[in-house]
């Protein structure tokens, strides 16, 4: 199977984390991570999130997107802004015809840490370990990398299941 490049996104209205990994022969390799940091009024922030995510896609050519679902917010206004930021990122990906898969924070933490209610420091630590990074990535970037790793985990699990089913069917 050829290498698969996955873009993970942790949406935010002030900082949208991104992380790109490549899966090759069952191993995850770090490519890049960071944050699209934005200021200004909401329309300007959404425009910059769209542009920033579009630039990451153009530069690193991922074949798939894993994005964190919005699961809660402190208030309705925060939830709306977070949803709009997520929409800007999704639109950038949709315009490049990326396959989109969504994961809840619980699913991501369960896949990476083994505990669905893990804290940010635990996620950062495990991302660092799983990708053999020298230091812990910034929290939003770590969350995006965790999302990409979660997707890789699910893809590999599905492939293993398919191989088992094919092997069982040929007996």
């Amino acid at each position: 199977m050829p290498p698969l490049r996955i873009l993970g996104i942790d949406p935010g209205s002030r900082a949208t984390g991104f992380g790109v990994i490549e899966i090759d022969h069952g191993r995850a390799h770090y490519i890049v991570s960071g944050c699209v940091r934005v200021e200004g009024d909401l329309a300007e922030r959404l425009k910059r999130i769209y542009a920033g995510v579009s630039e990451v896609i153009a530069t690193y050519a991922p074949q798939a997107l894993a994005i964190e679902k919005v699961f809660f917010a402190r208030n309705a206004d925060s939830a709306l802004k977070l949803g709009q930021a997520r929409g800007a990122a999704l639109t950038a990906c949709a315009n490049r015809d990326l396959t989109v898969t969504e994961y809840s924070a619980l699913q991501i933490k369960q896949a990476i840490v083994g505990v669905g209610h893990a804290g940010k420091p635990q996620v950062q630590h495990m991302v660092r370990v799983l990708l053999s990074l020298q230091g812990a990535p910034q929290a939003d970037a770590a969350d995006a990398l965790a999302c990409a790793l979660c997707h890789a985990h699910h893809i590999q699990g599905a492939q293993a299941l398919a191989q088992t089913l094919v092997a069982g069917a040929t007996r």
Side-chain angles (χ1 to χ4, degrees):
M1 177 170 224
L4 174 66
R5 227 171 238 205
I6 303 169
L7 169 61
I9 293 187
D10 177 39
S13 62
R14 298 271 179 203
T16 291
F18 66 87
V20 179
I21 63 170
E22 189 168 271
I23 305 303
D24 190 17
H25 293 94
R27 293 201 38 138
H29 303 280
Y30 174 84
I31 304 298
V32 69
S33 64
C35 290
V36 177
R37 297 198 183 279
V38 294
E39 295 179 2
D41 66 15
L42 182 61
E44 183 63 27
R45 286 184 292 181
L46 296 176
K47 177 182 173 185
R48 289 186 183 180
I49 290 168
Y50 175 85
V53 171
S54 293
E55 183 178 333
V56 169
I57 295 167
T59 303
Y60 298 101
Q63 290 116 336
L65 166 72
I67 189 166
E68 187 173 324
K69 291 179 183 177
V70 176
F71 67 99
F72 86 97
R74 291 185 183 102
N75 61 48
D77 187 53
S78 295
L80 184 59
K81 287 178 182 172
L82 182 58
Q84 291 168 327
R86 191 171 175 279
L90 282 170
T91 301
C93 296
N95 281 342
R96 295 294 182 124
D97 296 322
L98 289 179
T99 301
V100 176
T101 307
E102 301 174 279
Y103 297 98
S104 69
L106 187 93
Q107 288 174 301
I108 295 166
K109 291 174 182 179
Q110 183 70 42
I112 303 309
V113 181
V115 178
H117 298 289
K120 284 194 179 280
Q122 290 171 298
V123 172
Q124 284 175 297
H125 172 74
M126 286 308 297
V127 164
R128 179 180 176 209
V129 169
L130 292 169
L131 294 173
S132 302
L133 302 177
Q134 294 297 316
Q138 191 274 335
D140 294 316
D143 287 349
L145 287 166
C147 194
L149 286 164
C150 175
H151 187 57
H153 175 77
H154 283 273
I155 288 171
Q156 290 169 337
Q159 288 172 344
L161 177 62
Q163 289 172 351
T164 301
L165 293 173
V166 167
T170 58
R171 290 184 191 184

